[in-house]
Amino acid sequence: KLDYVTSDQIVQTKGHLAAEISSADELVLTELLVNGTFKNLPYDQTVALLSCFVHSEKSSSFNSKAPNLLEEHFQLFSKLREQVNRIASVAKDARLGMDIEKYLDSFSPQLMEASAAWAKGSNFANILKMSKVFEGSLVRAIRRVDELLQQLIAACTSIGENEQ
């Protein structure tokens, strides 16, 4: 249904993209890549969006159902949730036994603002105040975003898409 392989079991371009991604949800990321979400997206917004994939710690002071985000981040997170819903729907149709709410909740917008600020070169102390997470958690998330960016670059290169 998602066109990762043909009916003859031949891997399509989307399948090759997904195969290069291992540090986050490869199906959702591939769908976002293919539908052009990252095309012309400023680097700070790219980093903000990717932070949703790598940060999984829950915070009692953060409500992922009604996040308090800048409008640009809210729109990106909404696009992300649309793709997650689409993937979840296909999984449900295939009777994979997925808990859709749990799957949706696994993508957290909690570090979008802090990650975007980091990408713009903001002071780490200010970023830490804005994130409301432990210092180590923030550093770990940023390192994971960097790893994920490297995988996305490799994925795009593997299919001949070399535009930065």
Side-chain angles (χ1 to χ4, degrees):
K1 283 192 170 189
L2 295 172
D3 297 324
Y4 285 75
V5 294
T6 65
S7 58
D8 297 328
Q9 303 304 311
I10 297 171
V11 179
Q12 300 277 61
T13 301
K14 287 169 71 172
H16 289 290
L17 274 171
E20 295 290 331
I21 302 167
S22 62
S23 62
D25 191 300
E26 62 278 353
L27 296 179
V28 175
L29 280 164
T30 299
E31 293 301 319
L32 290 171
L33 279 169
V34 171
N35 75 17
T37 299
F38 292 105
K39 202 77 154 168
N40 302 319
L41 193 63
Y43 66 92
D44 59 306
Q45 299 306 307
T46 300
V47 169
L49 181 57
L50 294 178
S51 74
C52 299
F53 287 84
V54 302
H55 183 70
S56 58
E57 293 178 22
K58 300 295 181 208
S59 169
S60 59
S61 65
F62 187 81
N63 181 356
S64 64
K65 301 279 192 257
N68 185 17
L69 299 171
L70 295 173
E71 180 61 29
E72 58 195 2
H73 294 152
F74 182 79
Q75 288 176 1
L76 279 174
F77 189 64
S78 295
K79 283 184 182 181
L80 169 61
R81 286 189 62 95
E82 284 175 26
Q83 288 304 316
V84 172
N85 263 319
R86 183 169 169 258
I87 299 294
S89 175
V90 170
K92 184 180 176 186
D93 291 347
R95 298 184 195 146
L96 294 179
M98 177 184 288
D99 181 343
I100 295 174
E101 281 305 309
K102 188 175 180 180
Y103 186 48
L104 283 167
D105 287 345
S106 71
F107 298 89
S108 172
Q110 186 175 3
L111 292 181
M112 288 185 84
E113 309 291 335
S115 298
W118 170 77
K120 290 179 180 177
S122 292
N123 174 313
F124 188 74
N126 292 337
I127 295 169
L128 202 53
K129 287 177 193 170
M130 130 185 353
S131 70
K132 297 181 178 82
V133 298
F134 292 114
E135 184 177 311
S137 297
L138 180 59
V139 170
R140 186 179 323 105
I142 290 171
R143 290 179 59 113
R144 290 184 66 201
V145 166
D146 181 59
E147 178 184 347
L148 184 53
L149 276 167
Q150 296 306 315
Q151 288 179 7
L152 293 177
I153 290 168
C156 291
T157 301
S158 77
I159 62 161
E161 181 67 48
N162 295 320
E163 281 186 39
Q164 298 293 325

